[in-house]
């Protein structure tokens, strides 16, 4: 699915992947009650044949923190929001780090992130919008023609990270997000023990 979207100049970028503007437009302009009922709003990465995800082996921050209803009311919603922010922080930082390791610049990261979220669509004009060849070349830059290699390299790099790599690179910046998750969890009435996110060091 990823390679097919890459060929179609959809939104497979070095920084990550996202739904097409056509989908984003439909989603932003959906009518009340349509999400969950209208098949056009089904995630474009859903693999209907297998009933699973066509792109992630482990679901991403947005998908993993999605819920239909919170049995804990507002406290539960706050917890899932905090959890989403923490996971998104992790994803963004890993993505940025890998881009820098592979010769992209911080400005590339910013411009690609902006491209992934075109939620400012307010009319149907851009529904079939996809990247032009020129844009694709500009975005992939020195990795043009080796996009698959880049994506596999990202996968291997992340797989090879160890907890101490995380600690060295991101633990300090991650701390407010971790604290946010723990505090939000404690405000819920769950009786389980306070969570400690996997791979994160205990607070000194
Ligand atoms: S896990 Fe996320 S990306 Fe994959 S099919 Fe479900 S909603 Fe879509």
């Amino acid at each position: 699915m990823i390679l097919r979207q890459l060929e179609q100049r959809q939104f497979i970028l070095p920084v990550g992947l996202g739904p097409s503007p056509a989908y984003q437009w439909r989603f932003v302009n959906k009518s009340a009650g349509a999400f969950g009922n209208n098949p056009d709003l089904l995630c474009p990465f859903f693999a209907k044949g297998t009933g699973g995800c066509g792109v992630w082996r482990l679901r991403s921050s947005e998908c993993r923190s999605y819920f239909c209803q919170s049995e804990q009311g507002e406290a539960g919603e706050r917890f899932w929001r905090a959890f989403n922010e923490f996971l998104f922080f992790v994803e963004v930082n890993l993505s940025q780090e890998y881009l820098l390791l592979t010769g992209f610049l911080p400005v590339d990261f910013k411009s690609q992130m902006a491209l992934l979220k075109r939620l400012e669509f307010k009319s149907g004009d851009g529904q079939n919008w996809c990247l032009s060849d020129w844009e694709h070349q500009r975005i992939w830059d020195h990795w043009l023609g080796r996009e698959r290699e880049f994506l596999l390299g990202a996968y291997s790099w992340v797989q090879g990270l160890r907890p101490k790599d995380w600690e060295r690179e991101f633990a300090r910046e991650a701390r407010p997000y971790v604290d946010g998750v723990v505090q939000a969890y404690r405000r819920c009435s769950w009786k389980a023990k306070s969570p400690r996110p996997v791979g994160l060091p205990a607070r000194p």
Side-chain angles (χ1 to χ4, degrees), residues 181-193:
V181 173
V182 173
Q183 282 163 16
Y185 184 87
R186 285 185 178 144
R187 286 194 197 104
C188 296
S189 58
W190 295 321
K191 296 295 178 211
K193 286 182 187 158

Side-chain angles (χ1 to χ4, degrees), residues 43 45-47 52-56 59-60 63:
C43 174
F45 300 124
F46 180 64
C53 181
V55 290
W56 303 117
R59 294 184 301 152
S60 68
C63 319

Side-chain angles (χ1 to χ4, degrees), residues 52-158:
C53 181
V55 290
W56 303 117
R57 190 160 68 85
L58 301 172
R59 294 184 301 152
S60 68
S61 60
E62 204 62 31
C63 319
R64 187 160 289 273
S65 58
Y66 177 79
F67 57 90
C68 297
Q69 197 172 7
S70 169
E71 65 172 34
Q72 294 284 325
E74 270 186 38
E77 287 175 20
R78 273 199 294 275
F79 167 76
W80 286 111
R81 253 197 315 278
F83 189 56
N84 173 282
E85 284 165 11
F86 166 64
L87 290 183
F88 187 67
F89 168 88
V90 173
E91 287 172 355
V92 163
N93 278 274
L94 291 176
S95 171
Q96 188 166 22
E97 184 73 7
Y98 187 68
L99 253 67
L100 295 177
L101 285 172
T102 50
F104 287 99
L105 300 171
V107 67
D108 298 323
F109 174 81
K110 281 192 179 162
S111 63
Q112 290 177 29
M113 285 296 282
L115 258 183
L116 278 186
K117 287 229 171 215
R118 289 181 58 96
L119 293 177
E120 73 276 17
F121 272 129
K122 291 294 178 213
S123 80
D125 294 346
Q127 283 195 64
N128 295 317
W129 193 78
C130 62
L131 297 173
S132 67
D133 283 350
W134 178 82
E135 278 174 310
H136 181 83
Q137 284 168 19
R138 181 179 61 79
I139 289 166
W140 279 94
D141 197 20
H142 50 290
W143 282 93
L144 185 68
R146 296 185 297 143
E147 296 91 339
R148 187 171 186 273
E149 186 187 330
F150 177 93
L151 296 170
L152 289 173
Y155 179 76
S156 302
W157 177 71
V158 169

